[in-house]
Amino acid sequence: MTSTHEVLRLALTQPVNHPLEPLTVEEVAAAVALVRQESNLGVDVGASFRFPCVTLKEPPKSTVLNFQVGDPIERQAFLILLDNETGTTYEAIVSLTQKRVVFWQAIPDVQPNIMPDELSECEAAVKAHPEFRAALAKRGITDLDLVVVDPWAIGNFGFEDEKGIRLSRALCYLREKPDGNFYARPIDGLVPVVNLNKMEVLRIEDMDVVPVPPEASEYADRFQPPLRTDIKPLHITQPEGPSFEVDGHHIRWQKWDLRIGFTPREGLVLHQVSYEDQGRLRPILYRASLSEMVVPYGDPRPQHYRKNAFDVGEHGVGVLANSLTLGCDCLGEIRYFDAVLTNSRGEVAITENAVCLHEEDYGILWKHTDWRLNEAQVRRSRRLVLSFIATVDNYEYGFFWYFYQDGTIQYEVKLTGILLCGTLVDFPQYGTVVAPELNALNHQHFFNLRLDFDLDGTGNSVCEVNSYAEAIGPENPQGNAFYAQSTLLTTEQEAQRIIDPFTARYWKVVNPNVTNRLGQPVGFKIVPGENVLPFAHPDSPILKRAGFMTKHLWVTPYEPDEMFAAGSYPNQHPGDEGLPQWTRANRSIENTDLVVWYTFGHHHIPRPEDFPVMPTAYSGFMLKPVGFFDANPALDVPPLVKGKEQGCCHEG
C-alpha cells in the first residue's frame, strides 16, 4: 500500500497548467488520504465513512479570469463524506498545495446521493432477508439468482417514520433466463425498504400477489431472429486526422476555444467557451452544466407514486457514466477523455473513455444559386461533438454538446433504454400496454441547464422577445405586418418565464456595454426546442422538491454557491430549495454577472414501439448568436473541392 507521504509527493509532482484542469488520479488519492490522516476534525474518518463526492474545488471566478500562463496554481479538492455509523454528512475542502484540510463542516439534516456500491450492497441485503424470501416463495419464486432488486431513492412524502434515516425503496423483477431482460417482468406488490446506513431491511411492503408478466421481451441480439443482411458498411474516415487540437482538457476547433471538466454529479462540464473573431478570443460562457434532472411518473397507485427520480442530485450522472469502450457510441476519428472518480470508500475509480470528442458532417452550412451567373455557392457544415452517456437504472441518457461553424451551440439529450413498467392490474389509465399484462407508465423528463454567461465580459442582461401582429390601419392596410418586441427583464421574479410558441418567444442574453458595427448590443438567444410543463399538482410533494420545473427560464445574479436548481442535497429533502428559494430575494439581474437556468421537458406517453428497448428520443435547445458577430461568421469556410472530399460530387 502506498504511504500517505508518497501519495502527496506524487500529487504535487504532476504538472497542472490551468486552474480548471480536473483532479488527477494522484490528486484524488491525496485528497482522500489527507482527510483520513487529519487529526483535528473531531471525528476519525475511518471505515464507516463513504465518499459520495471527490472533485475539483474550482477557484474563484476572478482568479480564473485573471490567470496567466505561469501563475502559481492553488489546487484544492471538494469532498462530501457520509459517516454510516452516525448518519452525519460532512463537507470538506482540502488544499493539495498546502497538504492540509482547510474546511470541514457537518451538514445537518441532509442525505448525499446514493452511490453505485450502495446499490449492490442493498440488493444483497434484501436477497438475504428471510421475510423477502418468504414473500417470493408465496409468489412461487424460489430461484433468487433470477430475482433482481433495483434500489431507488425513496423521496420525501412527509412520513414521520422516514425522517433522518437514509433509505432506499427497491423495485423487484424476475428474469426469465439468467441473461434476460428483467425490466419486462416486474414483481409488483413487493417493495423492500432498506436503511442504507446499516444495510438493514426495515420493512417489506407486501401489498398483493400479482402475476409476473409472462413475456421475456428480450432485446439483445443473441435473442433475436436472423438480423438484417442488407446494411452496407458506412465508413467515416479523416485521412489527415481531425481538425481539433487538444492540450490536456483544453480544446480548440474552428475558432472555438473551450475547456472541459467532469464531476461525479454533473458529468461533463464546459468551461470558458469562447470564439475567435477578427483576431480576438471572445468569451461566451464561463461555465455550463446539467444542474438537475427529474423524472416524475404519473401513476398514483401505492406501488408507483414514489417514482420521482432526481437523477443528478439523488445519484449523479457523472458517477453513472458509461465507459465508451464497450460499444459503438461514437463514430469517426475519436478523442476520448477518462473520468477520475472514486468509489464510495474513497478509492480511485477511473471511468475509461467517459467523454467522447469528434467532429461530424452536418449537411449544408449555407447555399445560394445565382441562375443568372449559373453559379452555386455552397458550404458543408461541420460540427464538433462533445458527449457522454449515463445509465440510470432502466434509462440511458446521452448528453451532447454541439458546436457549429456559424457560432451556434446546441445541447441535446438523447433518451433511450427501457421503459419503466408495472403489472397490468386494470385498465391502464396511467400508462400504455406494451406487452401482455405489462403497463408502461406515463412519465416526463425535466432537465435544467445552468448557463453562466460572460458575453464579452461579465456585465450581461436578459431580454424576452415576442412577436406580434400589427393591427390593420393606415400603416398596415393589407394586414401583413408583424414585429418583434424586446422586453428587458430586470429582476429575478420578472425573469421566471415559460415558453410561448404562439408569440415565437425566445430569450436573449446581451452585453449592453458592447455593440457590433451596427450599434446593436452583442447577444446570444436561447432557442427552445421540445418543451412541456409538469402535470403534477402544485401542492404535490414532487413540485415542492423540484419547483424549478414550473418555469422554463430562471435568471439569477452569479453566486458561486448556487449550483443546483433543486438545491445541494435533494435526496429525501422535503423541498423548497434551490431556485424557488434563491429568487425570493428578487435580486437585480440587469447589467451584471448573471446565470441563466433553462429547463426543458420531454413528455412521454409510451408506445408499443418503445418496447422492449426504446428508439432514441431527442430533446434540447440551441444558443444562437444575435448581433454577436457583424455578419455571418462562416463566410470564410472554404468550399469543398469537387471530387476531392470523400462522398462529395460522386455518382454511384
Side-chain angles (χ1 to χ4, degrees):
M1 180 180 292
T2 306
S3 68
T4 300
H5 176 77
E6 180 63 11
V7 167
L8 293 173
R9 186 191 69 77
L10 289 171
L12 294 173
T13 56
Q14 301 299 309
V16 176
N17 59 14
H18 192 273
L20 293 176
E21 273 292 300
L23 296 180
T24 64
V25 169
E26 294 78 14
E27 287 176 319
V28 169
V32 173
L34 282 165
V35 168
R36 289 199 184 280
Q37 77 169 20
E38 179 62 57
S39 59
N40 297 319
L41 302 180
V43 294
D44 176 23
V45 182
S48 66
F49 274 75
R50 295 187 190 263
F51 292 76
C53 177
V54 181
T55 194
L56 175 70
K57 171 65 177 174
E58 295 173 17
K61 190 173 183 178
S62 59
T63 300
V64 175
L65 293 177
N66 294 316
F67 175 77
Q68 300 292 323
V69 176
D71 286 354
I73 299 174
E74 167 77 12
R75 295 288 281 175
Q76 293 187 339
F78 172 74
L79 297 86
I80 298 174
L81 301 92
L82 171 65
D83 184 357
N84 285 147
E85 190 172 306
T86 65
T88 305
T89 299
Y90 298 90
E91 291 183 358
I93 299 174
V94 172
S95 170
L96 297 163
T97 308
Q98 302 174 39
K99 304 181 187 179
R100 66 187 184 93
V101 178
V102 296
F103 176 84
W104 176 268
Q105 182 175 328
I107 311 297
D109 304 321
V110 301
Q111 295 292 342
N113 57 288
I114 299 174
M115 293 154 272
D117 32 1
E118 283 186 290
L119 302 179
S120 57
E121 292 174 33
C122 177
E123 181 173 33
V126 170
K127 284 189 171 185
H129 197 271
E131 188 178 342
F132 180 70
R133 294 188 173 203
L136 291 176
K138 185 170 68 173
R139 291 163 169 81
I141 301 170
T142 56
D143 188 349
L144 265 73
D145 290 337
L146 297 177
V147 174
V148 174
V149 178
D150 196 20
W152 277 52
I154 199 168
N156 189 307
F157 293 83
F159 300 128
E160 287 295 325
D161 61 343
E162 296 179 359
K163 289 185 177 179
I165 307 174
R166 184 171 177 80
L167 296 173
S168 175
R169 186 174 186 267
L171 309 180
C172 300
Y173 301 89
L174 181 67
R175 298 184 195 266
E176 185 185 68
K177 50 184 74 68
D179 60 347
N181 172 22
F182 63 85
Y183 281 115
R185 307 187 74 220
I187 309 173
D188 270 11
L190 180 61
V191 181
V193 177
V194 178
N195 181 327
L196 293 177
N197 278 327
K198 297 181 178 180
M199 284 301 163
E200 293 178 356
V201 177
L202 284 186
R203 64 179 182 267
I204 302 291
E205 297 178 0
D206 193 348
M207 305 168 200
D208 294 300
V209 176
V210 181
V212 173
E215 286 192 1
S217 300
E218 305 293 2
Y219 60 88
D221 56 357
R222 62 183 173 273
F223 299 119
Q224 303 309 314
L227 303 177
R228 302 182 189 192
T229 59
D230 58 347
I231 300 179
K232 305 299 184 184
L234 193 159
H235 298 293
I236 300 172
T237 62
Q238 293 181 274
E240 299 178 21
S243 302
F244 53 75
E245 300 175 4
V246 177
D247 179 12
H249 291 76
H250 183 198
I251 300 167
R252 298 184 184 90
W253 177 83
Q254 289 292 290
K255 302 190 177 184
W256 287 103
D257 188 296
L258 65 148
R259 294 183 175 275
I260 64 169
F262 199 92
T263 74
R265 183 167 181 164
E266 304 156 290
L268 177 63
V269 178
L270 304 185
H271 297 288
Q272 294 190 291
V273 178
S274 305
Y275 192 97
E276 184 182 339
D277 178 36
Q278 302 180 41
R280 295 183 299 130
L281 197 59
R282 301 177 63 191
I284 298 168
L285 289 164
Y286 177 75
R287 192 182 194 276
S289 66
L290 178 65
S291 143
E292 191 53 86
M293 171 182 158
V294 177
V295 186
Y297 282 82
D299 192 319
R301 292 176 293 179
Q303 173 81 19
H304 304 298
Y305 73 87
R306 285 183 184 255
K307 293 175 178 175
N308 298 292
F310 289 66
D311 290 335
V312 172
E314 291 178 339
H315 293 279
V317 293
V319 77
L320 297 175
N322 294 176
S323 171
L324 300 181
T325 59
L326 298 177
C328 297
D329 301 280
C330 304
L331 292 177
E333 296 289 330
I334 308 299
R335 169 68 158 85
Y336 290 108
F337 299 85
D338 295 343
V340 180
L341 307 167
T342 66
N343 63 20
S344 77
R345 296 305 180 185
E347 299 164 335
V348 174
I350 298 174
T351 303
E352 295 182 1
N353 295 7
V355 175
C356 173
L357 169 69
H358 69 286
E359 56 183 341
E360 60 189 24
D361 181 88
Y362 195 64
I364 294 175
L365 174 61
W366 57 263
K367 179 177 181 175
H368 182 66
T369 299
D370 187 331
W371 60 268
R372 293 176 177 84
L373 298 176
N374 193 29
E375 177 187 69
Q377 289 281 334
V378 61
R379 302 294 186 269
R380 295 294 299 179
S381 178
R382 194 178 292 193
R383 65 182 183 182
L384 186 73
V385 186
L386 270 165
S387 64
F388 78 103
I389 298 171
T391 299
V392 188
D393 295 317
N394 53 303
Y395 256 98
E396 263 74 20
Y397 299 93
F399 302 98
F400 284 71
W401 286 100
Y402 297 108
F403 297 87
Y404 295 85
Q405 292 160 303
D406 67 350
T408 296
I409 302 171
Q410 181 183 5
Y411 185 77
E412 183 175 70
V413 180
K414 302 182 180 183
L415 303 91
T416 181
I418 302 177
L419 295 169
L420 190 66
C421 298
T423 300
L424 181 62
V425 177
D426 48 27
F427 187 79
Q429 182 177 355
Y430 309 109
T432 302
V433 176
V434 294
E437 301 180 32
L438 191 66
N439 190 31
L441 306 182
N442 296 341
H443 60 285
Q444 299 179 290
H445 303 256
F446 288 94
F447 307 87
N448 181 272
L449 270 289
R450 181 183 183 273
L451 304 168
D452 181 357
F453 277 94
D454 276 0
L455 283 181
D456 276 341
T458 55
N460 291 176
S461 298
V462 176
C463 300
E464 178 173 286
V465 181
N466 293 282
S467 292
Y468 300 104
E470 184 70 73
I472 290 181
E475 295 183 3
N476 183 31
Q478 306 305 322
N480 65 307
F482 62 93
Y483 60 95
Q485 180 174 297
S486 182
T487 303
L488 179 67
L489 305 175
T490 62
T491 66
E492 290 178 293
Q493 292 182 18
E494 281 184 15
Q496 295 177 14
R497 308 295 294 164
I498 62 173
I499 63 166
D500 185 354
F502 298 104
T503 64
R505 177 174 294 168
Y506 64 87
W507 297 286
K508 182 171 60 174
V509 181
V510 299
N511 186 329
N513 312 295
V514 181
T515 57
N516 60 21
R517 71 186 182 98
L518 304 174
Q520 302 158 340
V522 298
F524 263 73
K525 69 176 180 177
I526 299 172
V527 182
E530 174 193 38
N531 216 330
V532 70
L533 286 170
F535 281 83
H537 190 277
D539 296 330
S540 64
I542 183 58
L543 283 190
K544 291 177 183 176
R545 300 177 63 218
F548 73 88
M549 298 191 301
T550 62
K551 306 294 180 184
H552 297 128
L553 183 80
W554 305 74
V555 185
T556 62
Y558 172 77
E559 284 291 341
D561 294 331
E562 294 179 0
M563 294 295 294
F564 305 110
S568 297
Y569 295 95
N571 187 19
Q572 294 185 235
H573 199 280
D576 196 30
E577 289 283 347
L579 284 167
Q581 182 190 71
W582 303 330
T583 56
R584 286 197 195 104
N586 204 24
R587 297 166 291 186
S588 172
I589 54 170
E590 185 177 359
N591 197 8
T592 190
D593 193 357
L594 54 79
V595 176
V596 173
W597 311 72
Y598 182 68
T599 305
F600 61 97
H602 174 69
H603 187 71
H604 196 174
I605 304 300
R607 310 170 298 148
E609 293 87 347
D610 290 330
F611 198 73
V613 66
M614 193 176 87
T616 300
Y618 303 86
S619 192
F621 65 97
M622 284 189 171
L623 302 173
K624 296 187 77 69
V626 179
F628 189 77
F629 301 104
D630 291 338
N632 181 350
L635 291 174
D636 59 351
V637 173
L640 300 184
V641 178
K642 200 169 186 176
K644 181 178 179 182
E645 297 284 339
Q646 181 186 19
C648 178
C649 305
H650 285 283
E651 184 175 336

